[in-house]
Amino acid sequence: MSIFKKLVTAVRGGATEVGEAIVDTQAIRILEQELRDSKKALNDAKTNLTAIMAEKMGVARKVKELSEKIKEHEGYAMQALDKNDESLATDVANKISEFEYELNIQQGILDGYESKIASLSKMIRQTERNIQAMDREISVVKTTAKVQKANDLAAAKFSGSNSSLRSATDSLERIKARQQKREDQAAAALELESEDKGDDLQARLKNAGIVDSASSGSSVLERLKKQKENS
């Protein structure tokens, strides 16, 4: 392959990568729009299915009415035959034939509706499952993106790649250092005040066993007895 062809291939490959990067950047927005379009199409399909089901109900009523008329006229024909009225029986039979012809047509339409409704209902259920799955996928991707963004911001503190975040972090550390310094100063002041009052010396004497840590009833009684003997 010539150098020129290699350059052309490289440029095309780079353009493809740039195009994919742009698409990936807008992936969530594109998917959400596609999902909205799918939901609208699904609602339209449900509306159309409802209309088809209503038409099927009308045809079903015709089928029922024709079946009832055929049964009714068969009764008439039998009564005519019972009366040996062949002509009347023939006329009724011809009418029954017309009913049966119309019944076959309507039954065929009804069967077609039932088949189409079953097929559309199945497609709608599958589409609903697909939309629910896509909803979950988008939710997971958006949540993952937020978590990763938060993680990147936190990690930037240690990487130093984000100068503004690094500056803010340094300010936070300085604030903490000043707070700690004030706490240390307050503790030192309390310690110094304690020493000025002799509390520290008294505590050290008590810890060394040179001074009693506290008087007791027996020690007070012994002191009083000695005072009485010396008086």
Side-chain angles (χ1 to χ4, degrees):
M1 181 182 293
S2 67
I3 296 177
F4 178 74
K5 288 184 178 180
K6 289 181 179 179
L7 288 173
V8 171
T9 302
V11 170
R12 290 176 61 189
T16 300
E17 291 178 359
V18 171
E20 289 178 349
I22 294 173
V23 171
D24 289 345
T25 302
Q26 302 297 326
I28 300 298
R29 183 183 300 176
I30 293 171
L31 287 173
E32 287 179 330
Q33 183 59 51
E34 291 290 339
L35 196 58
R36 285 192 292 269
D37 292 343
S38 296
K39 288 180 178 179
K40 183 179 182 305
L42 180 61
N43 289 332
D44 291 343
K46 288 182 177 180
T47 300
N48 292 338
L49 179 59
T50 301
I52 292 174
M53 292 176 69
E55 292 175 4
K56 175 210 162 188
M57 292 172 65
V59 175
R61 280 194 297 272
K62 289 182 180 179
V63 168
K64 182 180 179 182
E65 291 171 359
L66 288 168
S67 297
E68 290 175 349
K69 286 182 178 180
I70 290 172
K71 185 176 181 180
E72 178 185 356
H73 282 72
E74 285 177 345
Y76 295 155
M78 293 299 294
Q79 293 179 34
L81 291 173
D82 289 340
K83 294 182 178 181
N84 295 320
D85 192 338
E86 188 77 18
S87 176
L88 179 59
T90 300
D91 291 340
V92 174
N94 289 334
K95 192 63 177 180
I96 292 173
S97 177
E98 292 176 5
F99 287 147
E100 288 180 343
Y101 177 77
E102 182 63 23
L103 176 62
N104 288 333
I105 295 175
Q106 295 300 323
Q107 186 63 55
I109 296 173
L110 180 61
D111 292 342
Y113 274 132
E114 290 177 345
S115 176
K116 183 58 67 176
I117 288 171
S119 176
L120 288 174
S121 297
K122 183 178 179 180
M123 290 176 62
I124 286 174
R125 288 192 298 270
Q126 183 60 49
T127 302
E128 285 177 331
R129 288 193 290 269
N130 292 340
I131 288 176
Q132 290 171 358
M134 181 61 70
D135 256 331
R136 289 193 296 269
E137 289 295 325
I138 291 176
S139 178
V140 168
V141 170
K142 290 173 70 175
T143 301
T144 302
K146 290 179 181 178
V147 171
Q148 289 178 344
K149 181 178 180 180
N151 184 65
D152 291 342
L153 289 173
K157 171 185 176 182
F158 305 101
S159 66
S161 59
N162 189 325
S163 59
S164 61
L165 182 61
R166 184 67 182 177
S167 177
T169 303
D170 291 342
S171 296
L172 180 62
E173 293 298 329
R174 288 195 296 272
I175 292 171
K176 290 165 62 178
R178 287 198 297 270
Q179 290 175 341
Q180 185 61 54
K181 184 177 180 180
R182 291 185 63 180
E183 290 178 3
D184 292 342
Q185 289 174 344
L190 289 175
E191 184 177 350
L192 182 60
E193 182 181 358
S194 176
E195 290 178 355
D196 290 342
K197 291 181 178 179
D199 293 345
D200 183 64
L201 177 60
Q202 190 68 19
R204 290 165 61 193
L205 289 171
K206 288 180 180 180
N207 290 334
I210 298 174
V211 177
D212 291 339
S213 61
S215 62
S216 64
S218 59
S219 64
V220 171
L221 183 60
E222 289 296 324
R223 177 167 53 79
L224 292 175
K225 287 179 179 180
K226 289 180 180 180
Q227 289 178 1
K228 184 177 181 181
E229 290 173 357
N230 294 331
S231 60

